[in-house]
Amino acid sequence: MTTATSELLTVSEVMARLKVGRTKVYDLIRTHRLVSIKVDGCRRIPAHALGDFIASQIGEAA
C-alpha cells in the first residue's frame, strides 16, 4: 500500500528520474505535457502523471 506522500513527487525528484534540469521540468509543466498540482504553493507531480509522460514519450519514439 502506498501513502499519499509517496504518490506525489517533488520537482527535484522528477528532475532526478528524468535526468533533466529544473527549467526543463517546469517547461513540461507549463506546456501541459506533465500534469502537476500545487499543495500550499509547492508544486507536486503525481507519480502516475510521470509514468504517463514517460509512456507517451516512448510511444512517440516508436
Side-chain angles (χ1 to χ4, degrees), residues 29-42:
I29 292 168
R30 183 182 55 78
T31 58
H32 304 286
R33 294 174 64 202
L34 184 61
V35 175
S36 71
I37 62 171
K38 277 188 132 180
V39 179
D40 290 333
C42 298

Side-chain angles (χ1 to χ4, degrees), residues 8-19:
L8 294 175
L9 305 171
T10 65
V11 169
S12 295
E13 290 170 329
V14 173
M15 288 168 49
R17 291 183 186 196
L18 293 179
K19 296 181 177 30

